[in-house]
């Protein structure tokens, strides 16, 4: 089997890249190891910059009818009250909000749109096992296992979009620089009621914080714990975790029993890392395969989609014309996306070091810090964190 581009991984980066290349007439094959996209506790935050890009390719109306929830602000509750930290309504319209939409619906929409183009192929239940190389060592495609057996896909360019545990990265022998993280995250669902109110609620207190994401009829909860602390929390028992959830979010007291077993709680091991070199001859790595992001700000999907948009815009014309993609071309993509990646990770690391880590080891009363109280006095300041999260550094366009 042959393709101009083989994309490994059918997540947001892989499907956006496949779609944008197919729109340019590039023969692209996307490999997804699962049968479908129905996996819970994936990142569901779609940012304004991504929504703007979808508008540019005519998918804005289809995105708007997905079963999502809009959040116009991020509010944080401390022991001394509730404060608005980021006001997304201060961003330029039409998308001055965060959109929380089940990722499987988002991915299915992208896949359905991409299959309209004859140059696009999506192979589900297909797992990459190794890379193809020519005598010079240049990557020339992949070997994979599919329901029909082993297959080889020859490609002028292989793009790794297969996440933080990338098989392609492992096969290339590339190791990212690990910057560490002081926390891990427990994900779980608890039902939501109309009387609870709408929005994005974060509760901060001694020992940590919890984010409750309004998903309509339920909350998707992110309960932040100290790095490596899961075994200790599990040893304390599920009832102790329920008590901590009630302490963080008292309105859930009458339904926290929905956490019936530890199977209802999923552990996300937080990583923050980055490759020094995102490419080798014949292959490029983007998204989490090149740079794993902290969950702070929920920007991982946004960075991955922006990587894909830049890759398609910069490499698509040559690929469509049948011209070879050089190492200089691949290096140009990394150069384009390096600055926003570094700046975003540095902001996340600063937040981890100065806010999250102290909270995880604090005791007693936790009041809002001075900068947050200042933003309450001068609401225009709430636009800055909204822009950093919602738009980000160097948003990409496809026009």
């Amino acid at each position: 089997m042959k393709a101009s581009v083989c994309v490994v991984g059918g997540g947001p980066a892989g499907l956006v890249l496949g779609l944008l290349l197919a729109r340019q007439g590039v023969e692209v094959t996307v490999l997804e190891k699962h049968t479908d996209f129905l996996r819970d506790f994936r990142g569901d935050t779609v940012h304004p910059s991504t929504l703007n890009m979808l508008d540019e390719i005519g998918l804005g109306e289809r995105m708007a009818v997905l079963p999502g929830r809009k959040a116009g602000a991020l509010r944080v509750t401390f022991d001394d009250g509730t404060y608005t930290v980021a006001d997304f309504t201060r961003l330029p319209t039409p998308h001055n909000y965060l959109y929380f939409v089940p990722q499987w619906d988002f991915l299915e929409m992208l896949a359905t749109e991409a299959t309209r183009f004859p140059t696009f192929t999506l192979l589900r239940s297909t797992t990459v096992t190794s890379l193809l190389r020519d005598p010079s060592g240049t990557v020339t495609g992949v070997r994979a296992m599919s329901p029909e057996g082993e297959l080889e896909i020859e490609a002028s360019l292989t793009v790794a979009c297969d996440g933080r545990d990338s098989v392609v990265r492992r096969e290339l022998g590339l190791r990212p620089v690990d910057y560490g993280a002081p926390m891990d995250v427990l994900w779980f669902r608890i039902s939501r009621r109309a009387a609870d109110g709408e929005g994005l609620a974060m509760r901060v207190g001694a020992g940590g914080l919890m984010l409750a994401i309004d998903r309509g009829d339920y909350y998707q909860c992110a309960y932040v714990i100290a790095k490596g602390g899961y075994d200790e929390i599990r040893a304390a028992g599920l009832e102790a975790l329920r008590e901590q959830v009630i302490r963080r979010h008292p309105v859930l007291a009458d339904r926290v029993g929905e956490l019936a077993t530890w199977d209802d709680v999923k552990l996300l091991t937080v990583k923050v890392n980055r490759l020094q070199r995102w490419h080798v001859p014949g292959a490029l790595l983007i998204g989490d395969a090149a740079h794993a992001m902290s969950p702070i700000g929920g920007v991982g999907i946004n960075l991955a989609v922006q990587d894909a948009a830049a890759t398609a815009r910069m490499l698509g014309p040559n690929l469509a014309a049948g011209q070879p993609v050089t190492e200089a071309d691949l290096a140009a993509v990394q150069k384009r996306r390096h600055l926003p990646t570094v700046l975003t990770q540095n902001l996340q690391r600063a937040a981890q070091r100065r806010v999250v880590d102290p909270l995880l080891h604090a005791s007693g009363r936790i009041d809002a810090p001075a900068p947050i109280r200042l933003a309450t006095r001068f609401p225009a300041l709430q636009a800055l964190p909204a822009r950093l999260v919602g738009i980000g550094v160097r948003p990409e366009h496809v026009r």
Side-chain angles (χ1 to χ4, degrees):
M1 183 174 181
K2 291 186 177 182
S4 294
V5 179
C6 178
V7 177
V8 181
L15 286 176
V16 167
L17 177 59
L19 169 59
L20 295 180
L21 289 176
R23 283 168 54 90
Q24 299 177 65
V26 177
E27 292 280 351
V28 56
T29 297
V30 177
L31 308 183
E32 167 55 41
K33 65 181 179 181
H34 296 99
T35 304
D36 54 42
F37 302 123
L38 290 171
R39 290 175 298 288
D40 208 351
F41 304 113
R42 303 183 68 161
D44 293 341
T45 313
V46 182
H47 293 72
S49 53
T50 298
L51 294 170
N52 290 336
M53 187 207 71
L54 293 172
D55 283 346
E56 292 172 358
I57 59 175
L59 292 181
E61 291 185 2
R62 289 177 59 185
M63 187 69 180
V65 299
L66 294 182
R69 303 285 286 184
K70 298 177 181 178
L74 170 61
R75 297 178 179 88
V76 182
T77 299
F78 296 86
D79 289 333
D80 62 340
T82 299
Y83 298 83
T84 298
V85 174
D87 185 356
F88 299 102
T89 65
R90 293 180 176 273
L91 298 178
T93 54
H95 303 299
N96 52 355
Y97 52 85
L98 296 184
Y99 194 31
F100 293 93
V101 60
Q103 192 176 112
W104 51 84
D105 290 325
F106 178 45
L107 296 179
E108 283 291 356
M109 182 198 73
L110 293 173
T112 300
E113 174 66 14
T115 54
R116 293 179 51 244
F117 298 92
T119 57
F120 178 87
T121 300
L122 173 61
L123 299 180
R124 301 177 190 251
S125 302
T126 303
T127 303
V128 170
T129 56
S130 62
L131 301 177
L132 301 175
R133 291 183 171 93
D134 68 13
S136 71
T138 297
V139 176
T140 59
V142 302
R143 292 186 184 88
M145 186 60 66
S146 74
E148 289 73 37
E150 190 174 69
L151 74 156
E152 293 186 352
I153 302 173
E154 299 177 12
S156 301
L157 175 65
T158 298
V159 183
C161 304
D162 51 342
R164 59 171 61 190
D165 298 315
S166 170
V167 173
V168 174
R169 188 177 68 199
R170 184 191 68 211
E171 289 293 309
L172 291 171
L174 300 176
R175 290 192 173 187
V177 177
D178 189 358
Y179 297 103
M183 80 272 197
D184 291 325
V185 179
L186 301 181
W187 284 101
F188 48 85
R189 287 185 179 193
I190 296 181
S191 61
R192 177 187 166 276
R193 296 170 186 165
D196 293 343
E198 298 181 352
L200 189 61
M202 181 179 290
R203 306 264 172 166
V204 173
L209 55 91
M210 188 177 88
L211 178 67
I213 301 171
D214 175 0
R215 293 290 301 275
D217 59 353
Y218 70 92
Y219 290 108
Q220 182 169 307
C221 299
Y223 186 89
V224 180
I225 64 174
K227 171 65 69 176
Y230 177 69
D231 289 341
E232 182 179 346
I233 288 175
R234 183 150 182 167
L238 197 56
E239 183 58 34
L241 175 60
R242 295 190 195 105
E243 291 174 358
Q244 290 300 317
V245 171
I246 295 171
R247 182 184 172 198
R248 296 280 177 268
H249 209 334
V251 74
L252 302 180
D254 62 347
R255 67 203 88 156
V256 74
E258 294 169 9
L259 298 179
T261 73
W262 286 105
D263 290 338
D264 298 321
V265 181
K266 308 299 182 184
L267 173 66
L268 169 66
T269 301
V270 176
K271 297 180 181 179
V272 181
N273 61 41
R274 184 172 69 248
L275 287 175
Q276 292 181 308
R277 184 181 178 90
W278 300 12
H279 57 90
V280 299
L284 174 68
L285 299 92
I286 63 173
D288 279 2
H291 47 76
M293 311 298 291
S294 167
I296 291 175
V299 296
I301 293 177
N302 196 45
L303 266 288
V305 168
Q306 301 298 311
D307 285 356
T311 301
R313 189 185 66 249
M314 297 173 71
L315 304 183
N318 280 357
L319 288 164
Q323 299 176 4
V325 173
T326 67
E327 274 220 85
D329 295 328
L330 301 180
V333 174
Q334 178 179 345
K335 183 178 180 180
R336 170 77 185 178
R337 297 303 305 159
H338 182 260
L339 177 65
T341 299
V342 171
L343 289 180
T344 303
Q345 285 186 329
N346 285 348
L347 288 171
Q348 290 182 324
R349 292 165 62 195
Q352 289 179 164
R353 183 174 60 254
R354 298 178 182 177
V355 179
V356 177
D357 193 37
L359 281 174
L360 291 173
H361 300 93
S363 59
R365 181 182 174 89
I366 303 295
D367 292 340
I372 290 179
R373 295 198 302 271
L374 182 66
T376 299
R377 290 183 58 193
F378 303 99
L381 296 176
Q382 298 164 9
L384 178 58
R387 184 168 185 85
L388 289 173
V389 171
I391 304 298
V393 180
R394 189 175 283 168
E396 302 291 346
H397 298 276
V398 296
R399 281 192 291 243

